[in-house]
Amino acid sequence: MLWLRRAADGGYAQAQRELGLLYETGERLEKDTARAVALYSEAAAQDDAFAMKFLAVLYLNGNNPAHRRTAFELLNRADRANLPEAQLLLAQLYQKGVFVKKDAKRAVQWYKKAARNGSSEAMNILAWRCENGEGVKKSPAKALQWYKAAAERGEHNALFRLGVLYYTGKHVAADHALAFEYFKKAAELGDVTAWYNVAWLNKTGDGTAQNFQEAKTWFERAALTGNSRAQVNLGVMYANGEGFPVDFEEACFWFELSKLCGNEDAQQGLDFVAPQLDDAAKDRARRRAQRTFKRMRRQRDEQP
């Protein structure tokens, strides 16, 4: 921090921008938006494109109309430096009509510019638009190209969508093994929806070798985010002893949790395991499910 401050005081633009970001976020420093603005402004004056974009976002989120005009000037300067993050933001503003007149055609132009400069998010958006004919001419072939380009850069949404396309055979020849690879990559990058798909394919051996342990791991990850289908599947696996010994109390826990999450199918599982358990075991499972449900809700509410 000492050296960062010295570099910023010495007029080094990147240090000014990085120090400004710490003040803006309150990370390791007391949050000070005014100080962040001052540091970003100093860096932007030296043509630091990232500082221009950061400063523009702060101005857009403020209440001063004059600052909003300045924000667009900053974003256009960052565009001239070919910063894809600024181009993506301009695309989103025109798409939503925020502080500018809504203009789908202009939004697409900015998305294309951002994508050509390496924005995987812009690539994914263009892919979806080409697939659905949203603001552009419908073209499954171009959609596939953009999805693959985004996937190569680790865009988990594009990886997941490619998994869906290859699994269903939409726009491409169906290939469940390739679909599994895409789902697995998306899951490893934190795509919550993909966690369930990877679990299911491992459980059924569809597109990959059947692996109950892997299925259990991915089902659990999905289940603890509130995915009630994953919870039911775990209940079934424990009730049937799929890949591990039968455990009716553990099955009861997952069915109880799924029921709390609103899955009506969970009752059928409870009806099956309840006769296998004494009242104490059922009560333990129910209480544990209630505690887990409350914890999941609390974690969800705490998310920004």
Side-chain angles (χ1 to χ4, degrees):
M1 189 63 68
L2 174 64
W3 287 110
L4 184 63
R5 288 183 184 278
R6 286 182 177 178
D9 291 342
Y12 186 49
Q14 184 177 342
Q16 292 167 339
R17 181 228 306 159
E18 293 297 333
L19 189 57
L21 188 60
L22 294 179
Y23 275 115
E24 181 188 350
T25 59
E27 182 183 347
R28 289 188 285 176
L29 290 171
E30 186 176 350
K31 190 169 183 177
D32 188 336
T33 304
R35 183 67 179 135
V37 167
L39 286 161
Y40 288 153
S41 298
E42 290 177 29
Q46 298 184 68
D47 295 324
D48 185 293
F50 282 102
M52 295 175 198
K53 189 257 182 178
F54 292 162
L55 183 57
V57 171
L58 282 177
Y59 282 161
L60 288 171
N61 289 331
N63 298 315
N64 190 325
H67 282 171
R68 290 172 188 162
R69 288 194 294 272
T70 305
F72 277 90
E73 293 171 6
L74 288 164
L75 290 173
N76 280 292
R77 283 177 60 198
D79 161 54
R80 290 194 288 274
N82 274 331
L83 184 71
E85 289 87 346
Q87 294 156 351
L88 176 62
L89 179 55
L90 283 164
Q92 293 167 333
L93 292 173
Y94 278 105
Q95 178 187 330
K96 298 174 183 176
V98 179
F99 307 129
V100 288
K101 185 178 180 181
K102 193 172 183 178
D103 190 331
K105 186 176 180 181
R106 202 164 182 184
V108 168
Q109 291 171 346
W110 282 114
Y111 280 129
K112 285 182 177 179
K113 201 167 188 180
R116 288 167 183 152
N117 281 314
S119 170
S120 61
E121 186 177 348
M123 293 173 191
N124 186 62
I125 292 169
L126 280 173
W128 184 87
R129 285 174 169 268
C130 288
E131 183 183 354
N132 296 282
E134 185 72 31
V136 295
K137 185 178 179 181
K138 191 171 184 178
S139 174
K142 284 185 179 179
L144 203 61
Q145 289 175 0
W146 282 121
Y147 278 134
K148 287 184 175 180
E152 286 172 3
R153 287 162 176 79
E155 174 60 48
H156 69 88
N157 292 305
L159 286 161
F160 180 82
R161 186 60 188 158
L162 283 168
V164 171
L165 294 179
Y166 278 101
Y167 190 83
T168 60
K170 185 178 181 181
H171 308 316
V172 291
D175 187 333
H176 287 197
L178 186 55
F180 175 79
E181 288 181 23
Y182 280 125
F183 286 139
K184 185 73 179 293
K185 288 177 182 177
E188 289 170 345
L189 287 169
D191 191 296
V192 178
T193 311
W195 294 351
Y196 178 86
N197 293 35
V198 171
W200 178 258
L201 295 177
N202 269 298
K203 180 184 177 183
T204 59
D206 187 0
T208 187
Q210 190 175 50
N211 187 326
F212 288 123
Q213 286 299 324
E214 277 288 294
K216 175 177 174 288
T217 297
W218 290 106
F219 273 140
E220 283 181 348
R221 290 187 184 184
L224 292 174
T225 67
N227 188 315
S228 65
R229 291 185 300 158
Q231 294 157 0
V232 164
N233 272 282
L234 283 167
V236 170
M237 291 181 77
Y238 276 107
N240 293 335
E242 294 176 332
F244 33 84
V246 169
D247 188 333
F248 290 120
E249 184 173 333
E250 188 70 12
C252 186
F253 158 70
W254 288 112
F255 288 137
E256 287 283 5
L257 183 59
S258 184
K259 185 177 179 180
L260 287 170
C261 288
N263 192 325
E264 295 178 359
D265 293 335
Q267 187 59 52
Q268 186 176 349
L270 287 170
D271 292 340
F272 174 75
V273 299
Q276 321 297 328
L277 298 168
D278 59 27
D279 290 341
K282 285 185 284 188
D283 187 60
R284 284 194 301 269
R286 188 180 303 110
R287 288 176 179 273
R288 183 181 161 206
Q290 290 169 346
R291 290 194 302 271
T292 304
F293 181 69
K294 288 178 181 177
R295 184 170 63 250
M296 289 192 307
R297 286 181 60 182
R298 185 169 59 251
Q299 290 171 346
R300 182 196 62 196
D301 293 341
E302 289 172 354
Q303 288 180 351

